[in-house]
Amino acid sequence: RIDWSRVPIAMQISGLDAGVQQRFALAGGDDYELLFTAPAENRTGIQALSSSLQLALTRIGEILPGSGVQLVDGRGMPIPVSAQSFDHFA
């Protein structure tokens, strides 16, 4: 589950319509961020590592039982996603 309110938005698209921001942030371009998952009990250590490296790390969601990806707003309400990334294998 991805919390849309926590997803960092590039300064270059921050003034655009919310739908355009969502499409660009979730499925656009050749700008890359590394994503990783970690158990909740490691959160303090990860925050310490972020501070010591002076590297911003942003928690944007959580892994839940089930399948698929769900985008939610800051209140946890589902947001429909129309953006699809390029499929290199299609």
Side-chain angles (χ1 to χ4, degrees), residues 7-14 20-35 85:
V7 174
I9 300 298
M11 180 182 61
Q12 294 85 347
I13 65 170
S14 64
V20 174
Q21 286 183 29
Q22 185 186 98
R23 190 173 76 241
F24 286 175
L26 298 178
D30 284 326
D31 50 337
Y32 300 96
E33 294 282 338
L34 295 177
L35 300 175
S85 61

Side-chain angles (χ1 to χ4, degrees), residues 1-7 22 59-62 70-79:
R1 181 166 75 169
I2 298 172
D3 182 343
W4 174 245
S5 68
R6 293 176 167 261
V7 174
Q22 185 186 98
R59 186 168 59 94
I60 63 168
E62 60 186 332
Q70 181 184 41
L71 186 67
V72 297
D73 65 17
R75 297 170 291 139
M77 301 302 295
I79 299 173

Side-chain angles (χ1 to χ4, degrees), residues 7-90:
V7 174
I9 300 298
M11 180 182 61
Q12 294 85 347
I13 65 170
S14 64
L16 300 177
D17 173 75
V20 174
Q21 286 183 29
Q22 185 186 98
R23 190 173 76 241
F24 286 175
L26 298 178
D30 284 326
D31 50 337
Y32 300 96
E33 294 282 338
L34 295 177
L35 300 175
F36 68 92
T37 61
E41 60 265 17
N42 293 344
R43 191 168 296 152
T44 301
I46 292 169
Q47 290 171 338
L49 179 63
S50 173
S51 293
S52 71
L53 295 176
Q54 297 181 3
L55 174 67
L57 297 176
T58 306
R59 186 168 59 94
I60 63 168
E62 60 186 332
I63 304 292
L64 299 172
S67 62
V69 175
Q70 181 184 41
L71 186 67
V72 297
D73 65 17
R75 297 170 291 139
M77 301 302 295
I79 299 173
V81 178
S82 60
Q84 292 185 331
S85 61
F86 184 78
D87 184 350
H88 293 275
F89 302 105

